[in-house]
Amino acid sequence: MGSSVKERLRPELSQLDQDADDLEEEEAARLPVTSPDGLLMEGDKQPSPGQGPFFYIGGTNGASIISNYCESKGWQRTQDSHCEDYKLKWCEIKCRDNYCSFREGQQLLFQLPNNKLLTTKIGLLSALREHARTLSKARMLPSTQTKVLKMEEFFPETYRLDIRDERQAFFALFDETQMWICKPTASNQGKGIFLIRSQEEAAALQAKTQSIEDDPIYRKMPFRAPQARVVQRYVQNPLLLDGKKFDVRSYMLIACAMPYMVFFGHGYARLTLSLYNPHSSDLSGHLTNQFMQKKSPLYTLLKESTVWTMEHLNRYINDKFRKTKGLPRDWVFTTFTKRMQQIMSHCFLAVKSKLECKLGYFDLIGCDFLIDENFKVWLLEMNANPALHTNCEVLKAVIPGVVIETLDLALETCQKSLHSQKMLPLLSQRRFVLLYNGETTDLWPRLASSRPLNRLPN
């Protein structure tokens, strides 16, 4: 292998030896206090100073929006991360202690403890594969006629590097006619990602992974982090907006876990600053997230152009592609939206039986979709603790509404479950769309059955 290839790959391959779990800093300016029509949880009263009810926010991601929401209810913020007498705890990074001390039905806690089943690359890949096997067996039964999504219809071909057989299968099939992208399983912001386009680059990656596996010290490690990576077939014919690559951030909200109440929420489109060049080695032209775009010296000047509302995207596709591609009018809000909802529902059902749930757990998951030039929709990944910064005008218009409705729905569904009330209609549901209603399909333990009910005021 030429020394030039080794030099070019050294920064990327070095990422195999580290975890990249840093979270994007929140850049939101403090927003005006909002007064949404939310529901107080059981026993809430307007507090005296210093007496609570308390809420705790760990980290800065969306902190000002969450804080303003809670303060509008008369709740008081505590800086004590060990405080157990809280109504709401919203933390960027999960902590075992939070779940051990959680009081079911009395508190709201952000993030399901094992959401990694969806929000890590290996977790999602494994869940989808197992679900596909289950569905394949079910389709063999005469009574099963329902059409279900096939994994290959929406998820790019992917291989795990931490499993020898899969690793060997990938290197055996690799050729230079198709580009691949290598990703750490549990990082965000594009950290640790690199492209594989030549036999030399594939050989370098193969040698690196093999040398790590052969290292006797590595063999003794309980968690083999450097190998926790996937390689995924790169979608090389992305739809472009004015020549730029983009993807769409949408949201899956698990507002309640007993019963499951799962929602879809629109987000926004994210564009690169530079024109798309499939042959470029600059990752900022391939990855659309803000962390990558900020590396450009033009970002401050042009950042408003890197985020579009869904309405803007819909108008653009109506104008540019509706006639030439024979699309239905408002394709973004009809066909595309329905497809995203189908994919999210499929992913949720793939892990539903394995999620660790208690009444009061809730989660907001960021889902990234790519549209190719044939208008086929691909799910790229799902993200825990999605970025809630509001550093441009579109995000200022979108993010607060997402966070406020998330909290409203979590409060209302928790209260209704606690009091064994009928879930629908939901007074706080505005823009989110119900994907899954466990009230009508699932059996779950009703906490209220063992104690007197205090009904909510009308």
Side-chain angles (χ1 to χ4, degrees), residues 324-344:
T324 58
K325 294 287 186 177
L327 301 177
R329 184 166 186 82
D330 297 327
W331 179 86
V332 166
F333 291 121
T334 54
T335 308
F336 178 49
T337 296
K338 182 180 178 181
R339 189 62 167 178
M340 288 192 291
Q341 292 171 350
Q342 287 177 331
I343 293 170
M344 276 191 205

PDB file of all heavy atoms in Angstrom, residues 324-344:
ATOM      1  N   THR A 324     -42.026  17.142 -13.926  1.00  0.00           N
ATOM      2  CA  THR A 324     -41.009  16.334 -14.597  1.00  0.00           C
ATOM      3  C   THR A 324     -40.956  14.911 -14.051  1.00  0.00           C
ATOM      4  O   THR A 324     -40.661  13.961 -14.793  1.00  0.00           O
ATOM      5  CB  THR A 324     -39.615  16.965 -14.455  1.00  0.00           C
ATOM      6  OG1 THR A 324     -39.312  17.112 -13.056  1.00  0.00           O
ATOM      7  CG2 THR A 324     -39.566  18.325 -15.128  1.00  0.00           C
ATOM      8  N   LYS A 325     -41.260  14.730 -12.773  1.00  0.00           N
ATOM      9  CA  LYS A 325     -41.224  13.401 -12.157  1.00  0.00           C
ATOM     10  C   LYS A 325     -42.613  12.789 -11.997  1.00  0.00           C
ATOM     11  O   LYS A 325     -42.733  11.657 -11.509  1.00  0.00           O
ATOM     12  CB  LYS A 325     -40.544  13.479 -10.782  1.00  0.00           C
ATOM     13  CG  LYS A 325     -39.069  13.847 -10.831  1.00  0.00           C
ATOM     14  CD  LYS A 325     -38.240  12.686 -11.361  1.00  0.00           C
ATOM     15  CE  LYS A 325     -36.756  12.990 -11.273  1.00  0.00           C
ATOM     16  NZ  LYS A 325     -35.924  11.844 -11.714  1.00  0.00           N
ATOM     17  N   GLY A 326     -43.647  13.532 -12.382  1.00  0.00           N
ATOM     18  CA  GLY A 326     -45.002  13.007 -12.253  1.00  0.00           C
ATOM     19  C   GLY A 326     -45.437  12.793 -10.820  1.00  0.00           C
ATOM     20  O   GLY A 326     -46.132  11.821 -10.496  1.00  0.00           O
ATOM     21  N   LEU A 327     -45.019  13.695  -9.939  1.00  0.00           N
ATOM     22  CA  LEU A 327     -45.341  13.547  -8.515  1.00  0.00           C
ATOM     23  C   LEU A 327     -46.720  14.117  -8.214  1.00  0.00           C
ATOM     24  O   LEU A 327     -47.186  15.043  -8.887  1.00  0.00           O
ATOM     25  CB  LEU A 327     -44.303  14.296  -7.657  1.00  0.00           C
ATOM     26  CG  LEU A 327     -42.847  13.878  -7.801  1.00  0.00           C
ATOM     27  CD1 LEU A 327     -41.969  14.781  -6.941  1.00  0.00           C
ATOM     28  CD2 LEU A 327     -42.656  12.423  -7.404  1.00  0.00           C
ATOM     29  N   PRO A 328     -47.376  13.599  -7.177  1.00  0.00           N
ATOM     30  CA  PRO A 328     -48.621  14.246  -6.735  1.00  0.00           C
ATOM     31  C   PRO A 328     -48.300  15.610  -6.135  1.00  0.00           C
ATOM     32  O   PRO A 328     -47.194  15.842  -5.641  1.00  0.00           O
ATOM     33  CB  PRO A 328     -49.152  13.285  -5.662  1.00  0.00           C
ATOM     34  CG  PRO A 328     -47.948  12.558  -5.167  1.00  0.00           C
ATOM     35  CD  PRO A 328     -47.027  12.429  -6.343  1.00  0.00           C
ATOM     36  N   ARG A 329     -49.266  16.506  -6.193  1.00  0.00           N
ATOM     37  CA  ARG A 329     -49.053  17.822  -5.599  1.00  0.00           C
ATOM     38  C   ARG A 329     -48.821  17.661  -4.096  1.00  0.00           C
ATOM     39  O   ARG A 329     -49.398  16.813  -3.450  1.00  0.00           O
ATOM     40  CB  ARG A 329     -50.257  18.726  -5.862  1.00  0.00           C
ATOM     41  CG  ARG A 329     -50.041  20.143  -5.357  1.00  0.00           C
ATOM     42  CD  ARG A 329     -51.078  21.108  -5.912  1.00  0.00           C
ATOM     43  NE  ARG A 329     -50.753  22.472  -5.515  1.00  0.00           N
ATOM     44  CZ  ARG A 329     -49.881  23.249  -6.126  1.00  0.00           C
ATOM     45  NH1 ARG A 329     -49.241  22.785  -7.194  1.00  0.00           N
ATOM     46  NH2 ARG A 329     -49.638  24.475  -5.706  1.00  0.00           N
ATOM     47  N   ASP A 330     -47.934  18.496  -3.567  1.00  0.00           N
ATOM     48  CA  ASP A 330     -47.585  18.455  -2.146  1.00  0.00           C
ATOM     49  C   ASP A 330     -47.055  17.079  -1.754  1.00  0.00           C
ATOM     50  O   ASP A 330     -47.417  16.511  -0.713  1.00  0.00           O
ATOM     51  CB  ASP A 330     -48.786  18.834  -1.271  1.00  0.00           C
ATOM     52  CG  ASP A 330     -49.250  20.265  -1.514  1.00  0.00           C
ATOM     53  OD1 ASP A 330     -48.400  21.128  -1.811  1.00  0.00           O
ATOM     54  OD2 ASP A 330     -50.463  20.516  -1.414  1.00  0.00           O
ATOM     55  N   TRP A 331     -46.152  16.554  -2.575  1.00  0.00           N
ATOM     56  CA  TRP A 331     -45.556  15.240  -2.332  1.00  0.00           C
ATOM     57  C   TRP A 331     -44.951  15.147  -0.937  1.00  0.00           C
ATOM     58  O   TRP A 331     -45.042  14.108  -0.267  1.00  0.00           O
ATOM     59  CB  TRP A 331     -44.489  14.973  -3.393  1.00  0.00           C
ATOM     60  CG  TRP A 331     -43.775  13.658  -3.241  1.00  0.00           C
ATOM     61  CD1 TRP A 331     -44.174  12.450  -3.725  1.00  0.00           C
ATOM     62  CD2 TRP A 331     -42.532  13.425  -2.552  1.00  0.00           C
ATOM     63  NE1 TRP A 331     -43.247  11.477  -3.393  1.00  0.00           N
ATOM     64  CE2 TRP A 331     -42.240  12.042  -2.682  1.00  0.00           C
ATOM     65  CE3 TRP A 331     -41.637  14.241  -1.862  1.00  0.00           C
ATOM     66  CZ2 TRP A 331     -41.087  11.476  -2.123  1.00  0.00           C
ATOM     67  CZ3 TRP A 331     -40.500  13.676  -1.298  1.00  0.00           C
ATOM     68  CH2 TRP A 331     -40.228  12.305  -1.431  1.00  0.00           C
ATOM     69  N   VAL A 332     -44.344  16.235  -0.456  1.00  0.00           N
ATOM     70  CA  VAL A 332     -43.688  16.226   0.852  1.00  0.00           C
ATOM     71  C   VAL A 332     -44.690  15.909   1.963  1.00  0.00           C
ATOM     72  O   VAL A 332     -44.409  15.133   2.885  1.00  0.00           O
ATOM     73  CB  VAL A 332     -42.987  17.573   1.124  1.00  0.00           C
ATOM     74  CG1 VAL A 332     -42.598  17.723   2.600  1.00  0.00           C
ATOM     75  CG2 VAL A 332     -41.747  17.703   0.238  1.00  0.00           C
ATOM     76  N   PHE A 333     -45.889  16.506   1.867  1.00  0.00           N
ATOM     77  CA  PHE A 333     -46.871  16.349   2.947  1.00  0.00           C
ATOM     78  C   PHE A 333     -47.851  15.199   2.701  1.00  0.00           C
ATOM     79  O   PHE A 333     -48.749  14.988   3.515  1.00  0.00           O
ATOM     80  CB  PHE A 333     -47.629  17.650   3.159  1.00  0.00           C
ATOM     81  CG  PHE A 333     -46.779  18.742   3.746  1.00  0.00           C
ATOM     82  CD1 PHE A 333     -46.606  19.942   3.079  1.00  0.00           C
ATOM     83  CD2 PHE A 333     -46.135  18.553   4.952  1.00  0.00           C
ATOM     84  CE1 PHE A 333     -45.813  20.942   3.621  1.00  0.00           C
ATOM     85  CE2 PHE A 333     -45.332  19.542   5.500  1.00  0.00           C
ATOM     86  CZ  PHE A 333     -45.168  20.747   4.838  1.00  0.00           C
ATOM     87  N   THR A 334     -47.680  14.504   1.600  1.00  0.00           N
ATOM     88  CA  THR A 334     -48.551  13.356   1.330  1.00  0.00           C
ATOM     89  C   THR A 334     -47.706  12.078   1.295  1.00  0.00           C
ATOM     90  O   THR A 334     -47.540  11.415   2.317  1.00  0.00           O
ATOM     91  CB  THR A 334     -49.320  13.549   0.014  1.00  0.00           C
ATOM     92  OG1 THR A 334     -48.384  13.832  -1.057  1.00  0.00           O
ATOM     93  CG2 THR A 334     -50.297  14.710   0.122  1.00  0.00           C
ATOM     94  N   THR A 335     -47.134  11.766   0.150  1.00  0.00           N
ATOM     95  CA  THR A 335     -46.395  10.516  -0.034  1.00  0.00           C
ATOM     96  C   THR A 335     -45.189  10.412   0.901  1.00  0.00           C
ATOM     97  O   THR A 335     -44.974   9.381   1.552  1.00  0.00           O
ATOM     98  CB  THR A 335     -45.931  10.391  -1.496  1.00  0.00           C
ATOM     99  OG1 THR A 335     -47.042  10.573  -2.362  1.00  0.00           O
ATOM    100  CG2 THR A 335     -45.290   9.029  -1.742  1.00  0.00           C
ATOM    101  N   PHE A 336     -44.389  11.461   0.948  1.00  0.00           N
ATOM    102  CA  PHE A 336     -43.161  11.429   1.759  1.00  0.00           C
ATOM    103  C   PHE A 336     -43.492  11.300   3.248  1.00  0.00           C
ATOM    104  O   PHE A 336     -42.900  10.477   3.959  1.00  0.00           O
ATOM    105  CB  PHE A 336     -42.348  12.693   1.488  1.00  0.00           C
ATOM    106  CG  PHE A 336     -41.080  12.802   2.310  1.00  0.00           C
ATOM    107  CD1 PHE A 336     -40.193  11.738   2.394  1.00  0.00           C
ATOM    108  CD2 PHE A 336     -40.769  13.968   2.982  1.00  0.00           C
ATOM    109  CE1 PHE A 336     -39.024  11.840   3.143  1.00  0.00           C
ATOM    110  CE2 PHE A 336     -39.613  14.085   3.727  1.00  0.00           C
ATOM    111  CZ  PHE A 336     -38.732  13.010   3.812  1.00  0.00           C
ATOM    112  N   THR A 337     -44.443  12.103   3.708  1.00  0.00           N
ATOM    113  CA  THR A 337     -44.815  12.044   5.125  1.00  0.00           C
ATOM    114  C   THR A 337     -45.347  10.665   5.493  1.00  0.00           C
ATOM    115  O   THR A 337     -44.985  10.094   6.525  1.00  0.00           O
ATOM    116  CB  THR A 337     -45.862  13.127   5.444  1.00  0.00           C
ATOM    117  OG1 THR A 337     -45.274  14.415   5.237  1.00  0.00           O
ATOM    118  CG2 THR A 337     -46.355  13.020   6.876  1.00  0.00           C
ATOM    119  N   LYS A 338     -46.203  10.111   4.636  1.00  0.00           N
ATOM    120  CA  LYS A 338     -46.757   8.782   4.906  1.00  0.00           C
ATOM    121  C   LYS A 338     -45.647   7.735   4.966  1.00  0.00           C
ATOM    122  O   LYS A 338     -45.663   6.828   5.821  1.00  0.00           O
ATOM    123  CB  LYS A 338     -47.770   8.408   3.824  1.00  0.00           C
ATOM    124  CG  LYS A 338     -48.421   7.056   4.050  1.00  0.00           C
ATOM    125  CD  LYS A 338     -49.436   6.732   2.947  1.00  0.00           C
ATOM    126  CE  LYS A 338     -50.052   5.358   3.163  1.00  0.00           C
ATOM    127  NZ  LYS A 338     -51.016   5.006   2.088  1.00  0.00           N
ATOM    128  N   ARG A 339     -44.657   7.866   4.095  1.00  0.00           N
ATOM    129  CA  ARG A 339     -43.561   6.893   4.075  1.00  0.00           C
ATOM    130  C   ARG A 339     -42.714   6.995   5.353  1.00  0.00           C
ATOM    131  O   ARG A 339     -42.331   5.971   5.934  1.00  0.00           O
ATOM    132  CB  ARG A 339     -42.681   7.129   2.845  1.00  0.00           C
ATOM    133  CG  ARG A 339     -41.641   6.043   2.618  1.00  0.00           C
ATOM    134  CD  ARG A 339     -42.289   4.704   2.371  1.00  0.00           C
ATOM    135  NE  ARG A 339     -41.344   3.723   1.848  1.00  0.00           N
ATOM    136  CZ  ARG A 339     -41.648   2.471   1.586  1.00  0.00           C
ATOM    137  NH1 ARG A 339     -42.887   2.037   1.789  1.00  0.00           N
ATOM    138  NH2 ARG A 339     -40.750   1.631   1.116  1.00  0.00           N
ATOM    139  N   MET A 340     -42.422   8.213   5.784  1.00  0.00           N
ATOM    140  CA  MET A 340     -41.676   8.375   7.027  1.00  0.00           C
ATOM    141  C   MET A 340     -42.438   7.754   8.198  1.00  0.00           C
ATOM    142  O   MET A 340     -41.845   7.101   9.070  1.00  0.00           O
ATOM    143  CB  MET A 340     -41.402   9.858   7.299  1.00  0.00           C
ATOM    144  CG  MET A 340     -40.366  10.486   6.390  1.00  0.00           C
ATOM    145  SD  MET A 340     -39.830  12.122   6.946  1.00  0.00           S
ATOM    146  CE  MET A 340     -41.312  13.098   6.673  1.00  0.00           C
ATOM    147  N   GLN A 341     -43.746   7.951   8.210  1.00  0.00           N
ATOM    148  CA  GLN A 341     -44.565   7.397   9.290  1.00  0.00           C
ATOM    149  C   GLN A 341     -44.559   5.873   9.253  1.00  0.00           C
ATOM    150  O   GLN A 341     -44.473   5.220  10.300  1.00  0.00           O
ATOM    151  CB  GLN A 341     -45.989   7.942   9.192  1.00  0.00           C
ATOM    152  CG  GLN A 341     -46.090   9.438   9.484  1.00  0.00           C
ATOM    153  CD  GLN A 341     -47.456  10.007   9.175  1.00  0.00           C
ATOM    154  OE1 GLN A 341     -48.301   9.347   8.567  1.00  0.00           O
ATOM    155  NE2 GLN A 341     -47.690  11.255   9.583  1.00  0.00           N
ATOM    156  N   GLN A 342     -44.631   5.298   8.058  1.00  0.00           N
ATOM    157  CA  GLN A 342     -44.580   3.837   7.921  1.00  0.00           C
ATOM    158  C   GLN A 342     -43.249   3.297   8.461  1.00  0.00           C
ATOM    159  O   GLN A 342     -43.218   2.287   9.177  1.00  0.00           O
ATOM    160  CB  GLN A 342     -44.715   3.437   6.450  1.00  0.00           C
ATOM    161  CG  GLN A 342     -46.115   3.594   5.871  1.00  0.00           C
ATOM    162  CD  GLN A 342     -46.129   3.254   4.387  1.00  0.00           C
ATOM    163  OE1 GLN A 342     -45.136   3.428   3.685  1.00  0.00           O
ATOM    164  NE2 GLN A 342     -47.265   2.766   3.904  1.00  0.00           N
ATOM    165  N   ILE A 343     -42.171   3.950   8.097  1.00  0.00           N
ATOM    166  CA  ILE A 343     -40.840   3.490   8.511  1.00  0.00           C
ATOM    167  C   ILE A 343     -40.683   3.611  10.022  1.00  0.00           C
ATOM    168  O   ILE A 343     -40.181   2.692  10.691  1.00  0.00           O
ATOM    169  CB  ILE A 343     -39.747   4.272   7.759  1.00  0.00           C
ATOM    170  CG1 ILE A 343     -39.776   3.924   6.265  1.00  0.00           C
ATOM    171  CG2 ILE A 343     -38.376   3.983   8.353  1.00  0.00           C
ATOM    172  CD1 ILE A 343     -38.901   4.809   5.400  1.00  0.00           C
ATOM    173  N   MET A 344     -41.109   4.743  10.590  1.00  0.00           N
ATOM    174  CA  MET A 344     -41.020   4.916  12.041  1.00  0.00           C
ATOM    175  C   MET A 344     -41.835   3.855  12.770  1.00  0.00           C
ATOM    176  O   MET A 344     -41.386   3.280  13.764  1.00  0.00           O
ATOM    177  CB  MET A 344     -41.523   6.301  12.442  1.00  0.00           C
ATOM    178  CG  MET A 344     -40.499   7.394  12.328  1.00  0.00           C
ATOM    179  SD  MET A 344     -41.113   8.894  13.128  1.00  0.00           S
ATOM    180  CE  MET A 344     -40.179  10.119  12.231  1.00  0.00           C
TER     181      MET A 344
END
